[in-house]
Amino acid sequence: MSIQQPAVFLQSLFQHAVDSVSAARCLPAALPAPPAGRTVVIGAGKAAAAMAQVVEQHWQGELSGVVVTRY
């Protein structure tokens, strides 16, 4: 296989890998059913804000909590 533009090819591979593991793609299917009672979300780190946003968008019930990130 001949690659005419290696930089473009490598950038597309990298972007595909990043997109494949995004919180929006991976997290919704992993969310459990809401338990009885209160649900508290606690997060920290670089991906915490994106993950908390996805939980908030897809959670069926009331949420509270805190997320600490650099943003």
Side-chain angles (χ1 to χ4, degrees):
M1 172 183 220
S2 173
I3 299 173
Q4 299 297 324
Q5 298 175 321
V8 173
F9 176 70
L10 291 174
Q11 287 173 338
S12 70
L13 285 179
F14 175 78
Q15 191 59 53
H16 180 72
V18 170
D19 292 343
S20 295
V21 296
S22 72
R25 183 179 182 126
C26 297
L27 194 54
L31 290 174
R38 189 170 144 190
T39 303
V40 178
V41 175
I42 299 171
K46 293 180 282 187
M51 293 176 91
Q53 181 181 27
V54 170
V55 170
E56 187 176 34
Q57 291 170 345
H58 291 88
W59 193 254
Q60 304 295 320
E62 189 175 333
L63 288 172
S64 62
V66 64
V67 174
V68 179
T69 185
R70 65 182 203 165
Y71 303 113

